[in-house]
Amino acid sequence: MIQPAHEIPVCALLEGPTDACRRRHHHSPYRRRRQLHLTASAASWWRPELRGTVSRIGAFCYGIRSAEGPELDGIRPAASLVATVVDLHGDRVSIGIGSFDGLPSTLSASRVGTSGGVRTLVSVGHTSSVVEGWPGARVGDEVVVFGAGERGETSATTLAERIDTVGEEILTRLTPRVRRVVAD
């Protein structure tokens, strides 16, 4: 029989290196619940002995893995950044997202996904960016700046590592100018 977490003593749930923390939490006068939260996404995935009774799995759900950590087998990122082609310039296209939208200008030369395959993000301007073109490119086509890799784009974490930051920054710096769409 499975007991609800609030009925299981904390001491019965954890073993090993968390004993001191567990004892401190269990005897704390500030304790309101019999739940212990020690881990967020990365530790919950790779350090099961630290999980406690509650783990916060946030960034992993959006496809953000630990910096320089391995890819997450079985996890498909829920977040992607898709921009629309707004103009054609010979062998290049402009997409409607730039640094004023939160896209770091230092991401130039990154891989992006298009209907024509993987292309290079040539430059990031203030309100638009330039991408290497492809045969048949049209205004209105979609360019995936980061996502699950279905069109060859990289993950938000891979982009972040290129510019020496964490994947969360790539997501959280996007401004309200970037429309959020929830899809099933």
Side-chain angles (χ1 to χ4, degrees), residues 10-181:
V10 172
C11 295
L13 294 171
L14 299 176
E15 296 178 18
T18 60
D19 288 339
C21 182
R22 186 179 62 229
R23 279 192 303 275
R24 181 175 180 172
H25 173 77
H26 188 69
H27 298 294
S28 168
Y30 302 104
R31 183 177 60 92
R32 292 191 179 103
R33 295 185 187 99
R34 291 182 180 216
Q35 295 179 350
L36 180 62
H37 167 56
L38 294 175
T39 60
S41 293
S44 295
W45 190 265
W46 288 292
R47 299 287 307 272
E49 72 276 12
L50 296 178
R51 285 185 188 142
T53 56
V54 179
S55 292
R56 182 181 52 80
I57 308 296
F60 277 15
C61 293
Y62 295 96
I64 306 297
R65 61 179 162 72
S66 300
E68 299 179 10
E71 293 297 328
L72 304 170
D73 293 333
I75 302 290
R76 184 179 180 276
S80 61
L81 179 60
V82 180
T84 304
V85 173
V86 294
D87 204 0
L88 305 172
H89 306 282
D91 63 345
R92 295 183 175 182
V93 301
S94 290
I95 58 174
I97 189 168
S99 61
F100 288 174
D101 301 301
L103 191 64
S105 59
T106 50
L107 289 180
S108 295
S110 297
R111 295 182 331 183
V112 296
T114 73
S115 59
V118 177
R119 294 294 184 262
T120 301
L121 179 64
V122 177
S123 64
V124 177
H126 295 301
T127 58
S128 65
S129 298
V130 176
V131 173
E132 175 187 16
W134 60 95
R138 297 184 313 265
V139 170
D141 284 353
E142 292 183 339
V143 174
V144 184
V145 179
F146 64 78
E150 294 169 350
R151 293 187 178 181
E153 73 277 3
T154 60
S155 69
T157 306
T158 300
L159 290 179
E161 289 171 348
R162 277 190 86 250
I163 59 173
D164 294 324
T165 190
V166 294
E168 289 91 335
E169 182 177 343
I170 300 296
L171 289 178
T172 59
R173 72 182 289 155
L174 295 174
T175 70
R177 290 172 40 104
V178 177
R179 186 171 62 105
R180 274 68 169 175
V181 176

